[in-house]
Amino acid sequence: MSYKVGYFIGSLSSTSINRTLSKALIRLAPDDLEFTEIPIGGLPLYSPDADDDYPAEARELKTSIEATDAVLFISPEYNRSIPGALKNAIDWASRPYGENSFDHLPAAMIGASIGAIGTAVSQQALRSVLAFCNTRLMTAPEAYIHFTKDVFQEDGTITKPETEEFLRDYMAEFREHIVRVLTVLPRR
């Protein structure tokens, strides 16, 4: 059996270091995880005024999430919080009331930054939002990645064995989290 994992890149930047991190994570993940990026850049700003008539981009977002077995958030930290585009996507996906696409969905988060504390503060904010959305969040291990170009190559190769081992173990734990959650709360 394989598991479909949708992943979000929290940055809209074409040169995002978190996109580079995503390539490494996919390369190091167990073979039975199938990854599909869930794009967030084309969404209009969320407003409850649209709850009765969702725009096509928001319907596509919800459909993409609902087609997955789990989601992985790979995101930078902007001003000690969640990037606006990512929060906007979460707002669209969790609405309208009673149609939360994240309900009981296995989820994990990770992020890279050039700063020494990685994305610790934004992940705390994201953790709060995803808990409210009733995701089944992987709480450990936490992963706040200090990104340096000498360790992370553009193609997802990692040159530091300890970092590669940590990320491989993180992805293996994420897989186990997905299995545990779906055993209790099957999606299909």
Side-chain angles (χ1 to χ4, degrees), residues 65-167:
I65 295 167
E66 291 161 7
T68 69
D69 296 307
V71 289
L72 178 61
F73 293 87
I74 308 164
S75 182
E77 180 171 293
Y78 288 178
N79 297 321
R80 299 284 190 227
S81 192
I82 309 164
L86 181 57
K87 178 62 166 71
N88 185 53
I90 294 169
D91 290 344
W92 277 113
S94 64
R95 302 289 301 173
Y97 182 79
E99 296 179 33
N100 174 11
S101 299
F102 292 118
D103 190 41
H104 294 300
L105 187 63
M109 65 183 73
I110 189 170
S113 169
I114 59 172
I117 62 168
T119 56
V121 180
S122 70
Q123 285 189 41
Q124 283 304 106
L126 183 56
R127 192 175 311 282
S128 176
V129 171
L130 294 176
F132 180 79
C133 290
N134 206 32
T135 64
R136 299 297 166 226
L137 208 59
M138 183 172 86
T139 56
E142 294 178 334
Y144 315 118
I145 307 304
H146 178 214
F147 186 93
T148 59
K149 288 188 183 270
D150 61 316
V151 174
F152 291 89
Q153 306 302 303
E154 183 64 33
D155 67 353
T157 303
I158 300 173
T159 62
K160 187 175 178 184
E162 306 86 63
T163 301
E164 183 170 330
E165 180 181 2
F166 175 80
L167 294 176

